[in-house]
Amino acid sequence: MPLTKIDDRGLTTPIDLLDNENIRLGTGNDLRLYHDGSNSYINNFTGNLEIRAKSGEAGLVMVPDGTTKIYYDGSKKLETTSGGVNVIGALTVNGSAINTDLVSDTSP
């Protein structure tokens, strides 16, 4: 029998699903979680998908057909764009700081 409601007693036993079975959330089942035996998936069918580090503070924000933003302590540090990636703040590679004010070379 499917679980149709979690009441004030809460959920007292684990929910065990087989591979490729979904946990569906939302009135329109527009958020789904599942595992296919090899990989795990979170499918969001409406709005942004946000993973928060703590209540009220963004950690990772994914906009459908758009940007993905990564935050550190509520401050945006990396953002994908149609042309590549924007880094906000210092960029460090193997312990060495890199100047992020790079100028593209348009010479032939």
Side-chain angles (χ1 to χ4, degrees), residues 5-47:
K5 177 176 141 184
I6 299 174
D7 60 20
D8 60 351
R9 293 172 292 168
L11 185 62
T12 58
T13 60
I15 299 173
D16 295 321
L17 302 176
L18 299 175
D19 290 344
N20 297 306
E21 291 182 343
N22 289 275
I23 295 175
R24 300 180 302 185
L25 303 168
T27 302
N29 292 326
D30 40 16
L31 178 63
R32 297 179 188 169
L33 299 111
Y34 72 98
H35 179 74
D36 68 5
S38 299
N39 300 296
S40 299
Y41 301 88
I42 301 172
N43 287 336
N44 180 48
F45 296 95
T46 183

Side-chain angles (χ1 to χ4, degrees), residues 22-101:
N22 289 275
I23 295 175
R24 300 180 302 185
L25 303 168
T27 302
N29 292 326
D30 40 16
L31 178 63
R32 297 179 188 169
L33 299 111
Y34 72 98
H35 179 74
D36 68 5
S38 299
N39 300 296
S40 299
Y41 301 88
I42 301 172
N43 287 336
N44 180 48
F45 296 95
T46 183
N48 297 343
L49 176 61
E50 299 189 20
I51 299 175
R52 297 185 174 204
K54 65 181 180 183
S55 180
E57 186 176 290
L60 180 65
V61 176
M62 292 165 275
V63 178
D65 300 318
T67 186
T68 296
K69 304 171 191 175
I70 299 175
Y71 292 79
Y72 175 83
D73 197 19
S75 177
K76 184 170 50 172
K77 297 299 176 184
L78 189 127
E79 173 180 41
T80 61
T81 67
S82 61
V85 176
N86 288 334
V87 175
I88 300 92
L91 176 63
T92 304
V93 177
N94 290 331
S96 299
I98 302 215
N99 182 356
T100 57
D101 296 325

